[in-house]
Amino acid sequence: MREFLKLTGILTLIAALFAGAVSYTYTLTKPIIDANRYKKRVEAIAAVLPPFNNQPEKEKKVVPTSKGEKVEFYVGKKDGKVTGVAFQNSIKGYSGDISMMIGVTPDGKVYGVDILNQKETPGLGAKVAQKTFTQQFQGKGLEESRWDVKKMKGDFDQVTAATISSRSVIEGVKERLLLYQKHADQILKD
Amino acid sequence: MAVLQHLQEDFFKGIWRENPTFRIVLGLCPSLAISTSVVNGIGMGLAATFVLLGSNLLVSLIRNVTPSKIRLPVFIIIISSFVTIADLLIEAYTPDLHKALGIFIPLIVVNCIILARAEAFASRQPVLYSIADALGMGAGFTLALVIISGIREAIGNGTILGVPIFGPHYEPAITLILAPGAFLTLGLLIGLVNYISRKR
């Protein structure tokens, strides 16, 4: 019995000690990590928008979707005139979610797509994050294009042997373009 | 002089004689899962070496005050805390490295090599030898991952470190970077290593 108490005591002590070390590191690094993530977001917005000179991450409009999500639209302006709108989407890929930042010009045509995070198969599906795949969205609008891979009679090239990942990205961009189209007036309004 | 020789032996045994992947055959889950490209192999290898170093050091330091009946839970607490702390520090101070290693860092907790070294070596040996052991095992693990991922990336994707090596007409054998390729490559390599060491 005494040994039982002694062992339990030691183990509890060690667990508490290390839990303390972990939480101390957490509070120490939290502000830095948050700042890094914010910076990443600002960079991602800049990467998919035409040149602007305001701070789009601060001029955002929030639009609810039919699924109950709240989507933020970041409006880029140059000298007070809207040059483009950026927004994020996260959609199920082949393994895990693919999250992307999409930028459009005010008329709803894609300006840039940037994959922020993905866990697709390295060497296959992961190639959807490469420029060679994401560049093909530039200038594409909802009406003019068939939003699917060529294999399924669409207009977009797919990554070889990664049809699911490719279609997910295409679907993710299309979903947000539809939402933008629906709420464009509200988003572009000052 | 004896100390130096001891250190040397503790280091080099991890690379060939007790190579964690090819000889002890431990930590196969990450080895199979992430060895699709050489960059991944190097990243996982270095991250695991870092954690091995920290856990061997701490386990060795407290080896004389840890009651043997609760040593395993104590090791696990040390390893998982160390992994979490490393994860937070890497994300805060080197976000680019964190993005590249992202999913591998939490995976290290379940890597049996770390626990095996704590139990079989660090809990019985002085700090200095435990550090040599951690570095040697880490180097052996990294080397094994680089060899496996090099073969898989070259044949399965036609590149090494992202650089094409077979020219534009090479048609990659995609199977090699999918799951079956991992088992095939690892199995053949273990066979090869056994063959060589038998011959010696």
Side-chain angles (χ1 to χ4, degrees), chain B residues 3 6 14 47 76 100 117 123 140 166 188 190 195:
Chain B
V3 175
H6 203 308
I76 290 169
R117 293 332 289 172
S123 63
F166 293 133
L188 290 172
I190 291 178
Y195 179 76

Side-chain angles (χ1 to χ4, degrees), chain B residues 97-119:
Chain B
L97 183 68
H98 189 267
K99 201 177 175 198
L101 295 183
I103 49 167
F104 308 136
I105 301 171
L107 265 179
I108 296 171
V109 181
V110 293
N111 192 328
C112 320
I113 296 169
I114 320 273
L115 187 62
R117 293 332 289 172
E119 164 70 4

Side-chain angles (χ1 to χ4, degrees), chain A residues 33 75 82 121:
Chain A
I33 292 172
V75 182
V82 176
T121 320

Side-chain angles (χ1 to χ4, degrees), chain B residues 37 44 48 59 64 67 76 82 91 96 102 105 113 117 121 126 149 152 158-159 169 171 191 199:
Chain B
S37 71
M44 181 67 177
V59 167
N64 291 329
I76 290 169
F82 204 84
E91 182 167 11
D96 288 331
I105 301 171
I113 296 169
R117 293 332 289 172
F121 198 95
S149 57
R152 293 181 65 193
T159 58
H169 299 296
E171 192 66 44
K199 263 196 147 176

Side-chain angles (χ1 to χ4, degrees), chain B residues 22-179:
Chain B
F22 294 139
R23 302 311 303 270
I24 310 183
V25 199
L26 273 183
L28 290 193
C29 180
S31 316
L32 293 166
I34 63 95
S35 59
T36 49
S37 71
V38 178
V39 177
N40 282 0
I42 295 173
M44 181 67 177
L46 292 184
T49 308
F50 180 65
V51 174
L52 249 177
L53 195 60
S55 107
N56 261 16
L57 182 75
L58 279 175
V59 167
S60 175
L61 273 175
I62 62 159
R63 69 184 188 283
N64 291 329
V65 292
T66 320
S68 71
K69 278 184 182 158
I70 53 163
R71 66 184 192 285
L72 286 180
V74 169
F75 297 162
I76 290 169
I77 291 172
I78 291 177
I79 295 167
S80 53
S81 310
F82 204 84
V83 169
T84 314
I85 290 173
D87 189 29
L88 289 168
L89 289 176
I90 293 172
E91 182 167 11
Y93 296 106
T94 52
D96 288 331
L97 183 68
H98 189 267
K99 201 177 175 198
L101 295 183
I103 49 167
F104 308 136
I105 301 171
L107 265 179
I108 296 171
V109 181
V110 293
N111 192 328
C112 320
I113 296 169
I114 320 273
L115 187 62
R117 293 332 289 172
E119 164 70 4
F121 198 95
S123 63
R124 292 143 209 238
Q125 301 278 348
V127 175
L128 209 56
Y129 298 153
S130 298
I131 291 176
D133 177 72
L135 291 175
M137 285 292 157
F141 184 54
T142 311
L143 189 73
L145 284 180
V146 168
I147 295 172
I148 300 170
S149 57
I151 294 172
R152 293 181 65 193
E153 188 183 340
I155 302 177
N157 202 33
T159 58
I160 287 281
L161 286 168
V163 182
I165 48 165
F166 293 133
H169 299 296
Y170 177 70
E171 192 66 44
I174 290 165
T175 313
L176 258 290
I177 48 175
L178 297 177

Side-chain angles (χ1 to χ4, degrees), chain A residues 51-118:
Chain A
F52 56 85
N53 56 15
N54 66 333
Q55 288 179 298
E57 71 280 1
K58 292 199 173 129
E59 292 190 36
K60 62 182 182 197
K61 301 270 168 61
V62 181
V63 171
T65 66
S66 50
K67 287 188 218 157
E69 302 166 276
K70 286 197 167 71
V71 181
E72 295 180 339
F73 287 84
Y74 310 101
V75 182
K77 292 176 182 169
K78 187 158 194 182
D79 306 325
K81 204 168 156 276
V82 176
T83 58
V85 181
F87 34 86
Q88 215 174 316
N89 198 6
S90 188
I91 196 160
K92 211 172 156 341
Y94 180 71
S95 52
D97 286 345
I98 305 177
S99 71
M100 58 195 96
M101 184 69 82
I102 305 146
V104 295
T105 44
D107 59 357
K109 295 222 166 53
V110 176
Y111 187 82
V113 173
D114 193 20
I115 306 295
L116 304 175
N117 265 310
Q118 49 84 18

